[in-house]
């Protein structure tokens, strides 16, 4: 149900782009207006969400400590997993963001003949990493469309990405990796019962969407060739705020572009914001030095406590009898 | 009320991990016997002016809620979203990857899918989506949103009291999403409606009025300590005279009251007494600040702060220079992550320096509170203690990292260093069950009652399983730790899952090994049990 809903939602998007361009001839709408709106939603929404999170304080210092604390000088501190300095936090965050450190720790818990065993479980980490990195590389590769002269680093990336030298045009490895990883991420949501149980439409939808984007991109590059000069013209027009609609770019391109627009607009509304959120997570981005340095809670307020005086009033006689010193005789 | 808990270990260890066919949004919680704690008594809530104080029972249909309970909960959520970035962020960025799913001891030991940390969070998130996000308002169930009905409230209550806030899930989450943070908020919301459990609100009321969870009055504390002192004299021939509420002492010592009350915590307390006596430490106990643990943490941030306040207040009144804290889990999570922020600055104290070794405890510069394992490790390193680890030869020891000290502080190697110096047989449990990946005792955060034994034994199953492994492979018979809740609850857990394994605090083993000036030849350990080797020697 949740899977089908998401699947048909993406199919509907594809069809509407197809119909819009092929039948209604709304090239300008799909090629210019919607992308502009999508980018605006993405940027403003992204900023809004981050500011909204940022507007709530972090009243307490609550890092999850995944290693030995800073202690006596002869005890070896785990400076990255339990950082007490800013440098440690930077490295911890870099490992988290670039290499998915925490996910790398993943274990699989199994019950075998009454005994619990913990096995390696690196597939999710691997697929996650492969997916995100290939997405990033593909994203960067696309910059050649927005720049008059392709910068050399993009050429280098392209060269590396296609170093297998397969087919014409050359096959990009990241295209294959991305499709494979997304498919894996989707299949685990279908076949692992627990993961299926926790999955919402909001988990399937972005997967189908990205799958749609990747598939349309691949089709366009390797199978239904589109007019690449026209694509570049349109892209350049968009970035220079001087939009033009070149003739005869295939409809598949508009489908690709429309799905990307939807992804951009959907991004700030959804869990995809984990991209920004990971940087803000207090359990990961704080130093564990709250016994060393004072941390202030901005909304701290005085509370009612049971004072020593009240306590002694309750127990004075008993204390005196037991020979425990009191303030007032 | 309920029948006695009789399920046998082999029944309980048959666990079905397959989730039900029907989706979780439509399955109300089924309150199973022996899985939840009794409701709070009105009188205990009244002591600390908690809202909606009345007697109530979770097993009954009517929870005696106020008319406008929905409004109260939603207002409560709104308030906490604005106060805690962790809460706001953790409501939004989970991608439901499921990496945390099989990391929770309650899920591993029970198989109930709502005990997967991600789903436990989703229970509250569904409400958040419905009332606080555009997509949830518009798309409803398809976006995973649902109305806050009475059933949903009960479900959240049921499952948020099946989380020990141990943070194990957070270690594995790619965004560090910490279910403990979410559970704390969930419990605060319940607290707004007076939906406390009595096992928590009783200790809170006690702690507030009498200084400690157990409600020990000043003279009782002194009296019960007399018993330990007598035992110590029997064992060592040395009469120790600790002081209470003594002004002008150099150090205040604060430990959980569990150490003063029941075995095996009491043996740990004997260890502290012997160590401090041997050092000639200028220290005092306090009957007012007679609790380091803090059950307030399981109700609300505010209550935890109210209970914690007495530690600094007492240090100030007595004019001590700094504080040593005993072996306790939640206490150290609080000391490390909250105390200074709540009740500091402790500028009336001095930066802690060991009077015996001269070591400056740089890592306690601001709180001025040193963990006793740090203190003792430093003594040993500097050769200030005469130890005879052979006196622990009858023990094959393994080490349980308490969740809070491991994942909310990172005290991992100090106690191990002490342990290796006070006993000769030490075996680690399997790697994936110790240090930051350590498993909860299954009874933290006020779940150590007797009516929820099913839950406790299931929750403790992963821990017990790892202990059983070292018991079977290395003959381990002692599970050492630095947490009062552990000492109280692991005992029952071991009896159930891994019989023959006993439980001890670190300083009990220190007390055993400590060679005291002028002591007689020891023939008994702190439990007054004969030391086998010594007997043979005679
Ligand atoms: S590991 Fe983190 S992101 Fe993944 S499901 Fe659990 S809480 Fe969500
Ligand atoms: S904090 Fe501990 S008890 Fe709570 S959900 Fe996470 S692993 Fe389970």
């Amino acid at each position: 149900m949740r899977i089908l809903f998401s699947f048909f939602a993406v199919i509907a998007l594809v069809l509407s782009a197809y119909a819009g361009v092929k039948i209604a001839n709304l090239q300008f709408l799909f090629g210019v207006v919607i992308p502009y709106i999508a980018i605006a939603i993405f940027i403003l929404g992204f900023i809004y969400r981050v500011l909204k999170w940022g507007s709530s304080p972090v009243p307490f210092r609550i890092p999850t400590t995944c290693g030995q604390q800073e202690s006596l000088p002869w005890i070896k501190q785990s400076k990255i997993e339990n950082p007490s300095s800013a440098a440690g936090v930077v490295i911890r965050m870099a490992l988290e963001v670039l290499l998915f450190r925490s996910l790398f720790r993943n274990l699989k818990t199994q019950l075998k003949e009454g005994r619990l065993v913990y096995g390696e479980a690196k597939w999710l980490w691997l697929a996650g990493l492969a997916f995100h990195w290939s997405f990033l590389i593909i994203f960067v590769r696309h910059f050649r469309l927005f720049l008059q002269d392709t910068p050399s680093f993009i050429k280098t990336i392209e060269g590396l990405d296609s170093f297998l030298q397969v087919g014409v045009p050359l096959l990009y490895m990241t295209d294959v990796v991305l499709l494979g990883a997304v498919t894996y991420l989707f299949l685990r949501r279908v076949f692992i019962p627990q993961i299926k149980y926790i999955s919402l439409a909001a988990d399937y939808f972005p997967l189908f969407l990205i799958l749609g984007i990747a598939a349309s991109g691949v089709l366009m590059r390797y199978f239904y060739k589109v007019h690449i000069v026209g694509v570049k013209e349109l892209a350049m027009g968009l970035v220079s705020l001087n939009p033009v609609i070149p003739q005869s770019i295939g409809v598949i391109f508009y489908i690709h572009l429309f799905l990307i627009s939807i992804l951009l607009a959907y991004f700030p509304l959804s869990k995809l914001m984990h991209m920004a959120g990971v940087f803000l997570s207090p359990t990961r981005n704080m130093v564990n030095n709250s016994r060393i340095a004072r941390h202030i809670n901005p909304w701290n307020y005085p509370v009612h406590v049971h004072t020593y005086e009240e306590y002694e009033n309750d127990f004075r006689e008993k204390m005196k009898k037991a020979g425990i010193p009191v303030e007032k005789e | 009320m309920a029948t006695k808990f009789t399920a046998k270990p082999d029944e309980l260890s048959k666990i079905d991990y397959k989730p039900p066919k029907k989706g979780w949004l439509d399955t109300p919680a089924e309150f199973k016997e022996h899985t939840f704690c009794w409701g709070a008594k009105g009188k205990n809530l009244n002591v600390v002016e908690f809202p909606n104080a009345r007697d109530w029972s979770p097993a009954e249909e009517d929870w005696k809620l106020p008319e406008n309970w929905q409004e109260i909960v939603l207002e409560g959520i709104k308030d906490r979203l604005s106060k805690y970035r962790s809460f706001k962020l953790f409501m939004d960025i989970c991608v439901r990857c499921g990496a945390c799913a099989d990391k929770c001891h309650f899920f591993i030991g029970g198989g109930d899918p709502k005990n997967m940390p991600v789903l436990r969070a989703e229970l509250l998130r569904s409400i958040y989506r419905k009332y606080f996000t555009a997509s949830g308002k518009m798309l409803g169930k398809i976006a995973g949103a649902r109305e806050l009905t009475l059933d949903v409230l009960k479900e959240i209550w049921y499952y948020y009291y099946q989380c020990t806030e141990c943070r194990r899930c957070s270690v594995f989450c790619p965004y560090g999403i910490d279910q403990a943070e979410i559970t704390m908020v969930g419990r605060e919301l319940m607290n707004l409606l007076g939906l406390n459990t009595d096992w928590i609100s009783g200790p809170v009321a006690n702690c507030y009025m009498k200084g400690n969870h157990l409600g020990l009055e000043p003279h009782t504390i002194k009296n019960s300590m007399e018993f330990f002192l007598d035992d110590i004299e029997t064992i060592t021939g040395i009469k120790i005279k600790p002081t209470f509420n003594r002004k002008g002492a150099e150090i205040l010592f604060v430990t959980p009251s569990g150490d003063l009350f029941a075995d095996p915590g009491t043996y740990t307390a004997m260890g502290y007494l012997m160590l401090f006596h041997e050092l000639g430490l200028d220290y005092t106990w306090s009957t007012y600040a007679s609790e380091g643990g803090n059950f307030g943490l399981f109700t609300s941030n505010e209550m935890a702060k109210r209970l914690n306040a007495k530690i600094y207040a007492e240090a100030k009144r007595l004019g001590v220079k700094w504080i040593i804290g005993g072996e306790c889990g939640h206490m150290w999570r609080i000391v490390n992550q909250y105390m200074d922020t709540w009740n500091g600055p402790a500028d009336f104290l001095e930066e802690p320096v060991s009077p015996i070794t001269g070591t400056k405890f740089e890592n306690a510069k601001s709180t001025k509170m040193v963990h006793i394992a740090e203190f003792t490790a430093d003594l040993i390193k500097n050769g200030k203690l005469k130890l005879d680890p052979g006196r622990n030869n009858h023990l094959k020891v393994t080490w349980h990292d308490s969740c809070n000290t491991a994942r909310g502080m990172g005290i991992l190697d100090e106690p191990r260093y002490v342990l290796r110096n006070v006993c000769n047989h030490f075996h680690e449990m399997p790697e994936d069950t110790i240090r930051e990946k350590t498993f909860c005792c299954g009874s933290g955060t006020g779940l150590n009652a007797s009516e929820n034994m099913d839950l406790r034994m299931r929750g403790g199953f992963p821990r017990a399983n790892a202990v059983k492994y070292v018991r079977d492979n290395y003959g381990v018979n002692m599970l050492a730790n630095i947490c009062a809740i552990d000492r109280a609850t692991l005992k029952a857990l071991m009896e159930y899952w891994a019989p023959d394994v006993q439980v001890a605090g670190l300083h009990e083993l220190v007390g055993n090994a400590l060679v005291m000036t002028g002591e007689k030849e020891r023939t008994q350990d702190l439990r007054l049990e004969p030391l086998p080797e010594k007997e043979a020697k005679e």
Side-chain angles (χ1 to χ4, degrees), chain A residues 59-112:
Chain A
F60 306 109
R61 198 165 293 192
I62 50 163
T64 310
T65 57
C66 296
Q68 172 61 39
Q69 66 163 349
E70 174 177 352
S71 175
L72 298 158
W74 48 273
I75 287 179
K76 193 167 172 286
Q77 181 196 356
S78 173
K79 293 205 160 131
I80 294 166
E81 307 279 17
N82 190 346
S84 56
S85 73
V89 166
V90 169
I91 300 174
R92 185 182 201 187
M93 287 307 291
L95 288 176
E96 210 57 82
V97 172
L98 301 175
L99 297 175
F100 301 4
R101 168 74 183 98
S102 293
L103 204 51
F104 185 73
R105 252 190 287 257
N106 200 11
L107 299 169
K108 191 169 166 180
T109 311
Q110 278 170 309
L111 190 62
K112 280 191 184 149

Side-chain angles (χ1 to χ4, degrees), chain A residues 57-320:
Chain A
V58 183
F60 306 109
R61 198 165 293 192
I62 50 163
T64 310
T65 57
C66 296
Q68 172 61 39
Q69 66 163 349
E70 174 177 352
S71 175
L72 298 158
W74 48 273
I75 287 179
K76 193 167 172 286
Q77 181 196 356
S78 173
K79 293 205 160 131
I80 294 166
E81 307 279 17
N82 190 346
S84 56
S85 73
V89 166
V90 169
I91 300 174
R92 185 182 201 187
M93 287 307 291
L95 288 176
E96 210 57 82
V97 172
L98 301 175
L99 297 175
F100 301 4
R101 168 74 183 98
S102 293
L103 204 51
F104 185 73
R105 252 190 287 257
N106 200 11
L107 299 169
K108 191 169 166 180
T109 311
Q110 278 170 309
L111 190 62
K112 280 191 184 149
E113 289 147 20
R115 190 170 123 62
L116 288 166
V117 284
Y118 309 93
E120 290 286 315
K122 300 270 186 274
W123 285 109
L124 176 62
W125 169 79
L126 194 69
L129 205 65
F131 164 64
H132 284 85
W133 273 106
S134 50
F135 201 108
L136 179 69
I137 293 170
I138 293 171
F139 179 75
V140 172
R141 273 207 271 103
H142 277 67
F143 270 86
R144 75 169 315 146
L145 297 172
F146 300 99
L147 301 164
Q148 201 53 263
D149 306 304
T150 310
S152 60
F153 82 94
I154 292 184
K155 284 191 183 140
T156 314
I157 290 177
E158 285 176 345
L160 288 173
D161 200 352
S162 59
F163 91 107
L164 288 178
Q165 304 282 327
V166 180
V168 185
L170 289 178
L171 179 74
Y172 285 130
M173 279 178 303
T174 45
D175 289 356
V176 180
V177 173
L178 181 84
L179 279 171
V182 178
T183 308
Y184 171 80
L185 292 175
F186 167 69
L187 290 179
R188 72 187 281 279
R189 286 201 187 272
V190 177
F191 288 112
I192 303 177
Q194 280 98 14
I195 309 299
K196 184 168 182 192
Y197 197 68
I198 59 174
S199 294
L200 297 173
D203 299 310
Y204 295 108
F205 179 68
L207 284 175
F208 284 127
L209 198 56
I210 291 168
L211 215 48
I213 291 170
S216 55
V218 164
L219 285 176
M220 197 174 4
R221 176 172 165 85
Y222 303 102
F223 302 100
Y224 306 97
K225 301 280 159 56
V226 290
H227 188 50
I228 191 74
V229 180
V231 171
K232 180 145 186 172
E233 221 176 299
L234 189 141
M236 295 290 299
L238 284 175
V239 282
S240 59
L241 298 180
N242 200 359
V244 280
I245 292 294
Q247 285 314 300
S248 71
I249 312 181
V251 65
I252 184 105
F253 167 76
Y254 286 97
I255 294 176
H256 187 64
L257 185 61
F258 183 57
L259 293 181
I260 291 171
S261 304
I262 296 294
L263 184 69
L264 283 174
Y266 177 70
F267 202 99
L269 306 171
S270 69
K271 71 165 190 177
L272 301 179
M273 280 302 287
H274 68 265
M275 175 180 165
V278 63
F279 292 94
L280 292 179
S281 185
T283 55
R284 291 290 185 270
N285 71 11
M286 302 187 94
V287 291
N288 177 31
N289 69 346
S290 38
R291 283 163 72 207
I292 303 171
R294 195 163 145 68
H295 184 78
I296 305 293
N297 171 2
W299 49 261
N300 198 18
Y301 55 88
V303 293
H304 192 238
V305 302
H306 191 65
T307 62
Y308 174 78
E309 207 182 351
E310 292 167 305
Y311 171 85
E312 191 181 300
N313 287 341
D314 291 345
F315 297 110
R316 185 169 296 109
E317 288 317 309
K318 290 172 173 170
M319 288 168 82
K320 274 168 38 188

